[in-house]
Amino acid sequence: MTVLRLSRFLATGALVVGAAALPAAAALPAATDTDDAAAGTTWALEPAGEDGADGRVSLRHEIEAGTSVSDFVVVTNFSAHDATFAVYASDGLVDDDGNFDLLPAEAPPQDGGSWVEIGEVDGATPRDGGGIVLEAPASSSTVVPVEITVPSEATPGDHPAGVVAELVQGGDTSLQMSSRVGVRLHLRVAGEVLAEVTPEVEATYSPSWNPFAPGTVTVDYTVDNTGNVRVGADVDATVTGLFGVGGGEVSGEHREVLPGQSAAGTGEIEVWPLFLGRGEVVATPLGVGEDEVPAVLEPGTVEFRVWTVPWSQLVLLALLVAAPLLVVRARRRSAARIQARIDAAVAAASAEAEDEDPAAEGSDTDATAVR
């Protein structure tokens, strides 16, 4: 059976919720305070008939707008002590991890959850915000009636909801936790069905500073369910360079996207940088579980472009072009320095020779005069 793992911390503390051998059951670990009546409380909530659990995994109904349908759930207290539970309905959602959940207890339902009325049970009292507060004796089961009334103006398609049993803890301790288990309500309003998903994408390029390695295009996408029934979605993202070369692809899968909600994902694709990459994200809707989708499952497609400037390759090319020029320039400078030294040496030798010639002429004149 479908287990709603719905836990919210209202203060710092440890909470364990699990199904173990019990269907749709939750258990609280023993408290440090031995006077706490909630210590070791274990309970379950299941779909039921008038006489008790009937083996269904969820409540599933297709209803005409403006009509009602009745059903039942059963609350079972497996504990050796009495316990108090709040039983109420709320709208469904899928969390970031892809798990079905319901709105927080303090948030009023606005859609399918608001159409669910929890019936009267002997000894139960009304709960603020809707539902009932039920005193469950130790080791007992209590059948709770559920009435679903669809407004006449309700739109066709899926309106996800659920019914939960939340443990009501007594006392004025500073540590208060909310733990609940539930039964999912697959509620579909009869009418035209549209199965449609629309992807949105943002792509960024990260170069590799190794000029002999490709860079990476990161594709961040969301898949919006723009139809009116829940669907899964297969997502395929591709990126290619100019002329359709130097690209790659990546795939993702989302098992459930509810109407009006979205799922997000990220993929990384190695791409050889060819200045401009062209990409495409294709989201294909799929049926979920036992759902029958009497509609064409048309894929949604979005194209994108991303600059893939080959910075490291350009740097390498610049070095390759500049290296011969630098070598020639260095050789010319070296030759010029050598030539300058030669010229300086020749000039120095000439100057020295000129300095010696006048002395020699003067000696000859003196010698002639003596003779």
Side-chain angles (χ1 to χ4, degrees):
M1 98 149 281
T2 302
V3 179
L4 307 186
R5 301 179 183 274
L6 313 173
S7 304
R8 301 193 69 226
F9 288 87
L10 305 184
T12 304
L15 179 64
V16 177
V17 178
L22 303 176
L28 284 180
T32 55
D33 183 358
T34 56
D35 295 331
D36 187 354
T41 303
T42 303
W43 72 103
L45 186 70
E46 302 173 78
E50 294 185 38
D51 298 325
D54 57 12
R56 287 180 293 167
V57 298
S58 61
L59 307 179
R60 185 179 290 268
H61 296 285
E62 182 170 348
I63 316 175
E64 296 283 346
T67 62
S68 300
V69 65
S70 298
D71 212 328
F72 299 89
V73 294
V74 58
V75 180
T76 302
N77 179 12
F78 295 101
S79 311
H81 55 261
D82 298 348
T84 302
F85 301 100
V87 182
Y88 58 94
S90 192
D91 294 340
L93 55 87
V94 172
D95 63 22
D96 293 339
D97 295 325
N99 300 315
F100 185 81
D101 202 344
L102 296 183
L103 295 176
E106 65 274 13
Q110 304 294 325
D111 193 45
S114 66
W115 306 344
V116 181
E117 180 180 355
I118 306 300
E120 295 182 358
V121 176
D122 290 341
T125 58
R127 169 186 175 270
D128 291 339
I132 62 173
V133 177
L134 171 67
E135 298 287 343
S139 303
S140 68
S141 295
T142 305
V143 174
V144 178
V146 175
E147 186 77 11
I148 305 164
T149 302
V150 179
S152 57
E153 69 276 10
T155 57
D158 291 342
H159 297 265
V163 179
V164 298
E166 177 182 343
L167 178 65
V168 177
Q169 301 180 65
D172 297 325
T173 62
S174 58
L175 175 63
Q176 289 290 319
M177 297 175 290
S178 174
S179 177
R180 54 188 186 169
V181 295
V183 172
R184 184 167 183 172
L185 172 56
H186 295 282
L187 180 58
R188 178 171 294 180
V189 177
E192 183 179 359
V193 168
L194 176 62
E196 181 181 72
V197 291
T198 303
E200 299 180 2
V201 63
E202 180 177 344
T204 56
Y205 176 69
S206 300
S208 170
W209 295 110
N210 178 358
F212 303 103
T216 301
V217 171
T218 300
V219 180
D220 296 306
Y221 65 85
T222 57
V223 178
D224 301 319
N225 186 338
T226 49
N228 60 8
V229 293
R230 70 166 185 160
V231 293
D234 280 344
V235 179
D236 297 303
T238 58
V239 179
T240 59
L242 292 174
F243 313 111
V245 298
E249 62 182 2
V250 67
S251 298
E253 181 180 355
H254 302 275
R255 62 187 179 187
E256 182 176 11
V257 188
L258 299 178
Q261 298 183 23
S262 62
T266 299
E268 293 185 347
I269 304 174
E270 288 191 346
V271 175
W272 286 101
L274 297 173
F275 291 97
L276 181 65
R278 291 183 171 87
E280 182 180 72
V281 172
V282 179
T284 303
L286 307 170
V288 181
E290 301 176 359
D291 288 6
E292 295 182 2
V293 184
V296 178
L297 299 175
E298 291 287 349
T301 302
V302 61
E303 296 181 348
F304 63 91
R305 293 184 179 183
V306 57
W307 288 106
T308 57
V309 180
W311 294 113
S312 57
Q313 289 80 3
L314 290 175
V315 171
L316 177 61
L317 179 61
L319 292 175
L320 293 175
V321 172
L325 298 178
L326 294 174
V327 170
V328 171
R329 185 176 180 181
R331 288 180 176 178
R332 287 179 177 175
R333 287 185 175 180
S334 178
R337 286 196 298 270
I338 293 173
Q339 186 62 49
R341 290 175 182 174
I342 293 172
D343 293 343
V346 171
S350 298
E352 184 178 353
E354 290 176 359
D355 290 342
E356 292 177 354
D357 286 345
E361 291 175 357
S363 301
D364 292 341
T365 304
D366 295 341
T368 300
V370 169
R371 286 193 299 267

